[in-house]
Amino acid sequence: MVYYFHSEIMLLYLLAVFGKNEKANISGEEKRVLAKAVIELVACWIKRHEQSIH
């Protein structure tokens, strides 16, 4: 399964969580960790690009 965040102002990032041969699905906790990582990645990206604008 592939989850992604799309924004017209931001690059598309692919986060590899596990190999297809390792397990069928991720747990609820793994989904929460991944969601938090995406939020942090977006915030970091925005912060870096705001600094380059000013």
Side-chain angles (χ1 to χ4, degrees):
M1 181 167 289
V2 175
Y3 295 92
Y4 68 93
F5 172 85
H6 177 263
S7 169
E8 294 195 16
I9 63 168
M10 186 174 163
L11 299 174
L12 177 64
Y13 291 90
L14 175 63
L15 305 176
V17 178
F18 58 88
K20 186 176 178 181
N21 62 339
E22 293 177 30
K23 60 196 299 189
N25 294 303
I26 61 176
S27 69
E29 178 62 22
E30 289 168 324
K31 286 180 187 177
R32 285 187 287 280
V33 169
L34 182 58
K36 184 178 178 186
V38 169
I39 290 168
E40 291 175 4
L41 178 63
V42 170
C44 181
W45 194 91
I46 289 170
K47 184 177 180 180
R48 287 181 70 199
H49 285 81
E50 283 178 347
Q51 290 174 353
S52 66
I53 293 171
H54 300 304

